[in-house]
């Protein structure tokens, strides 16, 4: 799994941090997403896919291969 | 419970697409169909009043997914073909082009429609903002305009006024409340918002209603307000509310009352579900029916509905959340603020333009409101979880 985030789309909702706190964080000043791990461990994949689904800005892209 | 063989989603926007994606992610391998009225691929609405209107984004940037991501979903998209009727008992849907679609589970995700002053006729230069087509038409008209009146002081009106003002136009924001968004933010923060708008040069007319449009040669030339004042305008935007898109459900057998009425699992009838802006479901934490018109609910409820279609059987009791961007401020709201509940500043400082405000109800905190403090706002959300997610005990007689 390889995650990419689109900072320009992110609206700082923090839904991703609530769903997968080991993988996502938010910048202090404006709440924009910070990717902690672009290739997270297998056990976090479900949470990451859920975060991508609930992100209200469609800012999280999950690539399955590579 | 057996997984359904065919799931049909009516309404191919945030909530509809979210349901389809969540179904696949949860392992659904059956047939999936999304039917939508609009010709565009699924797109996101929040950017329409922000960067799309301002011209910072090409309209296509608002599309929710790229074509290759939609391909992976392995769903049939029937776009530009509105549903015209549903038979809940037979689980079938008819469409404008004459299709009849049957499915084992049907998801109603048709959202809401902007209320218009006078149907689709009326003078030129009067706009609503709900669809990508609306945003394109409004933007085109604004490019040749100087003075704009925005009617409606809810979140959409206030946000649209801010965006239009940043485009360099003269803007007047008109509405019945003492300050914009009082109903959504409570009086303390709404007053701060009023000052933000005034400080950026928006002219505010608070506590007044629209009395009528002034026209010249078939085009709007201004508005008359309930106190008799007349304002000149080249363009008028109305953000005066909306109604759930349920006209196509008349005679369906579903209960319609300000939306599609659902149980705590977002089920409207056996095998029929509703999701997003159109759904009015029983929120167990609040112990009453609730309908939310916000973007996070569309995604979160989609997840819940997909799970319940597959037999998870979990009530949907979210902590409501919405955000709005106006000028250089991002306002984030968890919970349901009220006009009456006392508010206290828990982080930052109103004067500095970075703060978090909590409102307390009789049973503890009911809302958390952040102004340019996203992380801190999110951390205060925890104080609301109990209030919203714990089922309300039936009160003793
Ligand atoms: C300009 C604007 C700005 C916004 N900004 C914010 C914001 O900053 N923050 C926030 O939280 N929320 C915001 N929202 C609200 C958010 O966009 C909505 O809550 C969200 O779009 C709801 O998604 P939905 O899929 O339930 O409904 P919709 O997005 O309304 O989608 C419903 C879809 O169903 C289709 N449809 C309708 N009738 C039929 C039919 N008979 N047959 C087939 N298809 C049909 C419609 O064409 C539409 O594509 C904004 C909304 C607008 C309009
Ligand atoms: S959920 Fe999406 S919009 Fe919200 S902070 Fe994460 S990436 Fe940004």
């Amino acid at each position: 799994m390889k995650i990419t985030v689109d900072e320009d789309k992110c609206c700082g909702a923090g839904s991703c941090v609530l769903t997968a706190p080991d993988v996502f964080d938010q910048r202090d000043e404006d709440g924009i997403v910070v990717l902690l791990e672009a290739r997270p461990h297998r056990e976090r994949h479900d949470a990451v896919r859920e975060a991508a689904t609930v992100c209200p800005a469609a800012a999280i892209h999950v690539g399955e291969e590579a | 419970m057996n997984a359904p063989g065919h799931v049909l989603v009516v309404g191919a926007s945030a909530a509809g697409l979210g349901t389809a994606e969540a179904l696949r992610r949860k392992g659904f391998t059956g047939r999936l169909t999304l039917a939508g009225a609009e010709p565009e691929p699924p797109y996101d609405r929040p950017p329409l009043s922000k960067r799309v209107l301002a011209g910072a984004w090409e309209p296509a940037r608002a599309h929710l997914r790229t074509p290759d991501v939609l391909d992976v979903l392995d769903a049939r998209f029937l776009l530009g073909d509105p549903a015209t009727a549903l038979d809940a008992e037979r689980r079938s849907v008819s469409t404008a082009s004459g299709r009849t679609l049957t499915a084992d589970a049907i998801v109603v995700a048709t959202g809401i429609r902007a209320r218009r002053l006078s149907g689709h006729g009326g003078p030129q230069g009067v706009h609503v903002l709900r669809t990508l087509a609306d945003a394109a038409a409004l933007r085109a008209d604004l490019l040749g305009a100087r003075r704009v009146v925005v009617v409606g002081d809810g979140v959409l009106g206030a946000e649209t006024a801010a965006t239009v003002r940043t485009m360099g136009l003269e803007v007047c924001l008109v509405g019945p409340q003492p300050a914009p968004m009082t109903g959504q933010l409570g009086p303390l923060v709404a007053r701060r918002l009023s000052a933000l708008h005034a400080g950026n040069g928006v002219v505010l007319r608070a506590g007044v209603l629209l009395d009528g449009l002034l026209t010249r040669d078939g085009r709007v030339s201004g508005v008359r307000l309930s106190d008799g004042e007349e304002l000149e305008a080249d363009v008028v935007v109305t953000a005066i509310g909306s109604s759930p898109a349920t006209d196509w459900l008349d005679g369906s057998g579903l209960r319609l009352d300000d939306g599609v009425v659902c149980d705590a699992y977002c089920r409207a009838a056996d095998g029929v579900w509703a999701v997003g802006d159109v759904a009015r479901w029983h929120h167990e934490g609040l112990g009453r029916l609730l309908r939310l018109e916000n973007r996070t609910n569309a995604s979160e409820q989609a997840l819940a509905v997909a799970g319940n279609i597959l037999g998870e059987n979990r009530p949907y009791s979210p902590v409501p959340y919405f955000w709005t961007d106006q000028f250089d401020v991002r306002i984030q709201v968890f919970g349901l603020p009220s006009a009456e509940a006392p508010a206290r500043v828990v982080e930052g400082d109103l004067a500095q333009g970075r703060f978090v405000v909590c409102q307390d109800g009789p049973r503890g905190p009911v809302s958390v409101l952040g102004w340019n403090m996203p992380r801190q706002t999110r951390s205060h959300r925890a104080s609301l979880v109990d209030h919203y997610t714990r089922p309300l005990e039936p009160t003793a007689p």
Side-chain angles (χ1 to χ4, degrees):
Chain A
M1 170 182 281
K2 174 143 192 337
I3 310 170
T4 47
V5 294
D6 187 336
E7 289 186 10
D8 181 43
K9 281 195 167 184
C10 172
C11 61
S15 309
C16 55
V17 190
L18 294 168
T19 312
D22 298 324
V23 182
F24 302 101
D25 198 358
Q26 288 176 280
R27 286 205 300 246
D28 196 39
E29 56 298 2
D30 55 9
I32 298 302
V33 62
V34 176
L35 188 57
L36 301 175
E37 262 191 301
R39 294 173 191 275
H41 189 266
R42 189 168 286 281
E43 68 195 17
R44 305 205 173 112
H45 287 192
D46 273 352
V48 169
R49 289 194 194 98
E50 176 160 332
T53 313
V54 296
C55 169
I60 302 172
H61 181 78
V62 179
E64 295 297 339
E65 49 278 316
Chain B
M1 189 198 136
N2 288 335
H6 178 205
V7 178
L8 166 64
V9 181
V10 185
S13 185
L17 180 67
T19 308
E21 288 188 338
L23 279 168
R24 287 294 188 227
R25 203 166 48 69
K26 288 172 183 284
F28 173 66
T29 52
R31 275 169 63 208
L32 195 51
T33 306
L34 282 98
E38 294 175 80
E40 290 92 354
Y43 64 86
D44 212 10
R45 285 173 216 279
L48 301 185
S49 51
K50 305 174 180 74
R51 281 181 278 189
V52 171
L53 186 60
W57 279 14
E58 289 296 315
R61 187 119 170 74
H63 290 170
L64 281 164
R65 303 286 182 235
T66 53
D68 50 314
V69 173
L70 290 181
D71 275 350
V72 176
L73 194 58
D74 190 20
R76 186 172 172 221
F77 282 88
L78 304 172
L79 300 176
D81 188 13
T84 49
L86 175 139
D87 184 332
E89 209 156 310
R90 294 202 172 137
R91 284 180 214 162
S92 74
V93 166
S94 322
T95 71
S97 75
R99 287 187 173 107
T100 302
L101 306 162
T102 55
D104 306 295
I106 294 177
V107 180
V108 176
T110 46
I112 57 178
R113 244 176 234 131
R115 177 137 39 99
R116 287 171 193 267
L117 279 180
S118 52
H120 282 267
Q124 282 179 21
V126 182
H127 294 261
V128 295
L129 182 50
R130 180 74 196 169
T131 66
L132 208 47
D134 293 338
L138 173 58
R139 180 167 165 76
D141 224 4
L142 287 174
L143 293 178
R146 194 162 62 84
R147 283 158 312 194
V148 179
V149 170
V150 178
V151 181
D153 56 4
V155 56
L156 184 58
E159 195 174 273
T160 303
T163 301
V164 173
R165 181 67 197 140
T166 57
M167 293 168 72
L169 294 139
E170 290 173 28
V171 183
C172 181
L173 177 59
V174 174
Q177 307 183 90
M181 294 183 69
T182 301
Q184 284 139 324
L185 302 176
L188 180 71
V189 181
R191 276 197 302 273
R192 187 71 184 72
L193 183 67
S194 193
L196 176 75
H197 275 258
N200 280 283
V202 174
V203 176
L204 293 146
R205 288 290 181 270
V208 289
L209 295 168
L210 180 73
D211 186 49
L213 295 173
L214 309 173
T215 59
R216 195 180 305 134
D217 305 327
R219 195 180 160 91
V220 75
S221 60
V223 298
R224 191 177 51 248
L225 304 180
S226 54
D227 60 2
E229 187 184 7
E230 294 189 350
L231 301 168
E232 289 184 65
D234 313 309
V235 169
V236 172
V237 185
T238 59
I240 51 172
S242 54
S243 48
T246 54
D247 39 333
W248 67 285
L249 294 170
D250 285 339
S252 64
L254 300 183
R255 199 176 137 212
L256 306 176
D257 178 10
D258 181 35
V260 177
V261 178
C262 300
D263 65 12
Y265 306 88
C266 311
R267 190 171 31 216
D270 234 8
V272 183
W273 314 76
V275 63
D277 285 8
V278 75
R280 186 149 172 260
W281 87 104
H282 181 81
H283 188 300
E284 283 197 345
L286 296 169
R288 63 174 170 91
L289 289 173
L290 183 68
R291 192 169 65 74
L292 294 173
E293 295 178 1
N294 67 56
R295 182 59 182 82
T296 357
N297 180 63
S299 291
E300 292 178 358
Q301 195 168 23
L303 199 62
V305 166
N308 287 337
I309 289 173
L310 300 176
E312 281 179 13
N313 233 23
R314 266 203 285 253
Y316 177 57
S317 313
V319 179
Y321 169 78
F322 78 91
W323 83 96
T324 171
D325 297 335
Q326 301 182 29
F327 300 106
D328 55 351
V329 175
R330 171 159 295 158
I331 302 173
Q332 299 175 296
V333 182
F334 288 103
L336 300 172
S338 84
E340 300 84 40
R344 61 198 156 85
V345 178
V346 293
E347 302 257 5
D349 173 344
L350 252 66
Q352 275 178 7
R354 252 169 95 78
F355 58 86
V356 181
V357 164
C358 283
Q359 279 193 317
D360 297 303
R363 295 199 295 138
V366 293
S367 76
V368 170
L369 234 143
W371 181 289
N372 273 349
M373 266 199 150
R375 275 191 77 158
Q376 294 82 347
T377 310
R378 176 169 50 78
S379 58
H380 283 278
R381 172 190 183 274
S383 68
L384 304 175
V385 171
D386 205 43
H387 175 73
Y388 286 93
T389 58
R390 190 163 42 89
L392 197 64
E393 298 293 332
T395 42

